[in-house]
Amino acid sequence: MTSSVADALVGRVIDGRYRILSHLADGGMASVYVALDGRLDREVALKIMRPGLATDDVFVERFRAEARSAARLSHPNVVAVFDQGEDDGEVFLAMELVEGKTLRDVIHEEAPLTAREALAILEPILLALRAAHVAGMIHRDVKPENVIVRRDGEVKVADFGLARAITNQAATSQTGVLLGTVSYLSPEQVERGVADTRSDVYAAGLLLFEMLTGRKAVTGGTPIQIAYNHVHGSIVTPSSVVPGVPAELDDLVAHATALEPEDRFDSAAAFVAALRAVRRGLSADELDRRGTAVVPDPATTSVLPADSSTTQASPAARPRRADLPTAPERHRTRPNEVGRAALAGLPVHDDAPALEHTAAMPIDRRAGRRGRWPLWLAAVLVLVGGAFGGWWFTMGPGGSTVVPAVVGQPISQAVGAMEQASLSVETVEEFSEGKAKGVVLRVEPGAGSELGKESTVRVVVSKGRERYAVPKLVGTRLNGAGAALSPLTLRLGDRAQDWSETVPEGVVISQDPAPGESVRRNTAVSVVVSRGRQPIEVPTVTGAPFDAASAAITKAGLTVRRGEDVNSDAVPAGQVVSQSPDKGTLHRGDAVTVVVSKGPVMVQVPNVVDQPDTAAEKTLTDLGFKVDKQYPFGELFEKKVRAQSLAAGTSVPKGSTISLTIV
């Protein structure tokens, strides 16, 4: 971002909240500004991604990852991230504005540091890394530019933008590009592209070396040479560069920067424990002895290569200002507002304070720290310093304050009370069944706790009752119902089954609670699942009167289809002769076809009286009658029909028997 573009943003309001006051610095991914948070009336550092990168999804995601990573950490020695968002194409990150110097500036102006000073700075760095490691994160880019020493001496670790969750071995490269600053990369990051908590330990060990000597521990003419020396070289002892550095610190550096990860401290917690043990074992003289770096031999280097024939010139004992890297992390300093660091003679506790809020080195002293001042000037400074110190540690920024009681108050009122008590607020939301949204549930530390001014208090605010809208499960398959409920913290309850003529088998017919109903976390949603269409046993109605047969079929849930009636000699008219199907199962609404009897075939009886017996018999049999011939007087006469048993003209069933009287 050019200076003109950067200056053009000054005065603009971002996201309706952050008014940009001034331009601080430019980095590889973003430019940084001092902005006024209009909502909370406080200054913040506003990091805005470069316009060319704001359209790159990969860079935007990495930029947002910085906010997510840092927001997970709540620790006095970690630069707080307040907000993240996008406004009219400007992707931004709002952070705590830390007024002070980077550790790079302190090393450049003050190193070599005394053992007391170096350990006083390193301890809060390790405490910040320990908090990250406990939270399951590794920083992966620990370097002096990412460490800020506030004007009151507070040490803060910044830029968790490269932080990643700890797995067995977290990858340190993306699309083949190694992430991190090459001078502080561990051998395993260079060689295998993996990192864990011990990689942060390695970088912290390099910081200790640099503070004790004023030189980088691993150098080279090119990034490739530096990376090679990480893998194939070894770190020289600080005492070989600055005579008088205690041997215990040599051992501490060696342990932290061992080539193999398993030979190092396994975490920042182990490193800080060893640091405290070393400090307790050193005398006051050893802690406060200030050495001078020896002029390096051109044939030597801070790194001893494994191949003794490979050497490179080390940098001068005091790097020139022009040689210092310009890093994006410089945005956390307020230029031209801070004096040089006063490092000597500051007492350091053997064990960390209860809140581990370590004030390492107030930055108040002028440049001539090693000269002998006239006694009269020293006396004046003592008087002035006493008055100033009394103000500083009482009413001034160095004083203490008490956490006010704000539980039960609206968050806006609570923030005002905290700011009036000279405390910063970090808000965290959580659900509450008993408190309305926006009401303070608790504060950490609790009300009445005594803290240093400008300390950060964690305020937990109610998000209201935790409720979730029940999703619609009706019409979905049972095996997908659980997946639909899980993201809403709901669970699948009782599962009943029922027949359904319209819903396929395995699909939810109904649910309780109903879709859209607001319920609590972990509420069980019961469902009724379709078994498909219900099978119905076909009733037997053959031989039954049609009306009775039709009623039986309809009652079973089936429909009646009447086929063409047929004559039947065996089945009386109106009764069912046959049905189809006559057994098995059907589904509701399916049809059963029945055939109804019309009874036997009816034939009109002819008149055969006075006909010869043979002719009469033939006439009747041709019509389907049966003939019974009677000869009352024998067969002596003419053999004519004199009478018939069924009267002529009547209709009788075919096959009926007609008796003939023949004389």
Side-chain angles (χ1 to χ4, degrees):
M1 186 177 292
T2 65
S3 176
S4 60
V5 174
D7 292 341
L9 289 177
V10 174
R12 178 175 166 182
V13 177
I14 301 296
D15 200 30
R17 176 175 181 176
Y18 304 102
R19 181 176 297 279
I20 297 178
L21 302 179
S22 62
H23 174 239
L24 275 183
D26 295 312
M29 291 177 59
S31 292
V32 186
Y33 303 84
V34 176
L36 178 65
D37 182 350
R39 189 174 301 169
L40 298 179
D41 193 26
R42 65 178 175 186
E43 289 188 353
V44 297
L46 197 68
K47 179 184 284 189
I48 300 180
M49 178 173 282
R50 291 180 174 275
L53 299 177
T55 57
D56 189 317
D57 292 340
V58 174
F59 278 95
V60 171
E61 180 54 34
R62 281 184 56 193
F63 192 80
R64 289 171 176 164
E66 179 174 353
R68 292 194 297 268
S69 299
R72 291 173 53 191
L73 296 177
S74 176
H75 192 275
N77 300 117
V78 175
V79 174
V81 171
F82 301 139
D83 191 13
Q84 181 272 327
E86 183 174 353
D87 180 21
D88 194 22
E90 303 288 358
V91 180
F92 69 88
L93 189 68
M95 302 173 296
E96 175 185 5
L97 181 63
V98 182
E99 299 181 354
K101 296 182 179 182
T102 67
L103 181 56
R104 172 68 64 209
D105 295 330
V106 173
I107 292 173
H108 173 73
E109 297 173 2
E110 300 292 329
L113 307 184
T114 67
R116 187 187 300 276
E117 294 164 349
L119 296 180
I121 295 177
L122 183 62
E123 181 175 9
I125 296 173
L126 293 176
L127 295 177
L129 294 177
R130 183 180 72 177
H133 294 171
V134 170
M137 296 164 52
I138 48 179
H139 189 289
R140 306 197 314 164
D141 195 25
V142 178
K143 58 185 178 183
E145 290 77 9
N146 282 344
V147 177
I148 305 156
V149 182
R150 265 186 359 190
R151 289 194 296 180
D152 63 356
E154 190 70 30
V155 175
K156 298 241 181 201
V157 178
D159 282 359
F160 277 79
L162 296 183
R164 290 292 183 271
I166 297 175
T167 57
N168 288 337
Q169 288 183 323
T172 65
S173 61
Q174 294 179 350
T175 62
V177 179
L178 196 64
L179 298 179
T181 304
V182 67
S183 292
Y184 303 92
L185 289 178
S186 63
E188 63 271 16
Q189 288 175 280
V190 173
E191 192 170 29
R192 302 191 302 278
V194 298
D196 59 19
T197 56
R198 298 168 296 184
S199 304
D200 285 349
V201 166
Y202 180 87
L206 298 183
L207 296 188
L208 178 58
F209 178 96
E210 199 165 339
M211 287 188 286
L212 292 171
T213 65
R215 305 177 188 174
K216 289 184 178 179
V218 182
T219 59
T222 65
I224 296 297
Q225 291 176 350
I226 297 173
Y228 180 90
N229 287 336
H230 276 293
V231 177
H232 300 286
S234 60
I235 309 299
V236 301
T237 60
S239 62
S240 67
V241 180
V242 178
V245 171
E248 291 84 353
L249 294 187
D250 286 344
D251 295 340
L252 202 61
V253 170
H255 195 171
T257 61
L259 186 63
E260 297 298 332
E262 54 268 22
D263 294 333
R264 301 178 206 142
F265 300 111
D266 59 7
S267 67
F271 195 173
V272 78
L275 177 153
R276 291 168 176 172
V278 166
R279 185 168 55 205
R280 284 194 296 268
L282 295 176
S283 66
D285 179 64
E286 289 173 314
L287 284 170
D288 296 322
R289 182 187 308 138
R290 189 178 303 279
T292 302
V294 297
V295 178
D297 187 334
T300 65
T301 179
S302 298
V303 178
L304 296 178
D307 181 359
S308 60
S309 65
T310 303
T311 61
Q312 56 193 24
S314 63
R318 288 292 177 90
R320 292 175 289 108
R321 171 66 71 177
D323 296 333
L324 292 176
T326 57
E329 293 74 8
R330 293 287 179 88
H331 66 269
R332 293 174 187 82
T333 65
R334 297 294 295 274
N336 304 322
E337 294 182 9
V338 184
R340 299 186 60 193
L343 306 178
L346 189 80
V348 177
H349 298 289
D350 287 340
D351 294 302
L355 291 177
E356 298 180 335
H357 194 74
T358 306
M361 308 173 306
I363 302 176
D364 288 317
R365 201 178 52 191
R366 298 300 174 188
R369 59 182 170 86
R370 296 186 183 124
R372 294 182 177 273
W373 290 357
L375 292 178
W376 64 268
L377 180 58
V380 171
L381 289 178
V382 168
L383 293 175
V384 174
F388 177 78
W391 170 83
W392 178 274
F393 290 108
T394 55
M395 300 180 63
S400 62
T401 185
V402 175
V403 177
V406 296
V407 173
Q409 298 179 3
I411 181 59
S412 57
Q413 184 176 340
V415 169
M418 291 295 179
E419 291 180 347
Q420 189 173 1
S422 300
L423 294 170
S424 298
V425 176
E426 175 198 359
T427 59
V428 178
E429 291 187 324
E430 69 177 42
F431 291 106
S432 171
E433 292 297 319
K435 297 293 183 181
K437 183 177 181 180
V439 173
V440 176
L441 300 177
R442 62 181 182 278
V443 293
E444 301 169 357
S449 300
E450 185 174 352
L451 301 177
K453 290 185 177 180
E454 304 307 324
S455 296
T456 298
V457 177
R458 191 168 185 260
V459 179
V460 182
V461 184
S462 171
K463 293 171 65 176
R465 297 189 303 171
E466 184 177 15
R467 293 294 184 269
Y468 301 92
V470 178
K472 181 181 178 182
L473 302 181
V474 175
T476 64
R477 302 200 67 85
L478 177 62
N479 54 15
L485 295 172
S486 180
L488 301 175
T489 71
L490 306 179
R491 59 187 176 87
L492 197 59
D494 295 336
R495 283 155 278 190
Q497 290 186 317
D498 198 3
W499 303 108
S500 174
E501 297 301 314
T502 58
V503 180
E505 182 179 0
V507 174
V508 176
I509 301 172
S510 63
Q511 65 181 86
D512 183 32
E517 187 172 335
S518 182
V519 297
R520 294 186 178 188
R521 168 188 286 269
N522 203 36
T523 295
V525 180
S526 301
V527 295
V528 177
V529 183
S530 173
R531 297 175 61 185
R533 300 185 69 186
Q534 181 179 8
I536 299 175
E537 191 78 23
V538 176
T540 301
V541 295
T542 301
F546 173 74
D547 289 344
S550 178
I553 293 172
T554 302
K555 184 178 180 181
L558 306 174
T559 58
V560 179
R561 181 182 295 123
R562 183 167 179 168
E564 186 176 356
D565 293 356
V566 298
N567 293 105
S568 173
D569 295 334
V571 179
Q575 295 184 357
V576 176
V577 176
S578 63
Q579 67 179 78
S580 178
D582 60 351
K583 59 183 178 180
T585 60
L586 295 175
H587 294 113
R588 184 173 300 277
D590 290 350
V592 177
T593 301
V594 296
V595 176
V596 180
S597 172
K598 296 191 294 184
V601 178
M602 302 300 289
V603 181
Q604 189 173 21
V605 178
N607 184 11
V608 293
V609 174
D610 293 333
Q611 291 185 12
D613 61 344
T614 56
E617 181 179 10
K618 184 176 185 307
T619 298
L620 293 174
T621 57
D622 286 346
L623 292 174
F625 292 108
K626 296 177 182 178
V627 178
D628 178 24
K629 294 185 289 183
Q630 303 290 329
Y631 297 92
F633 301 107
E635 298 183 16
L636 301 176
F637 299 99
E638 190 175 349
K639 298 182 183 178
K640 285 188 178 182
V641 176
R642 299 302 178 185
Q644 61 185 58
S645 60
L646 295 177
T650 60
S651 293
V652 297
K654 186 179 180 179
S656 297
T657 301
I658 298 177
S659 296
L660 300 178
T661 301
I662 302 172
V663 175

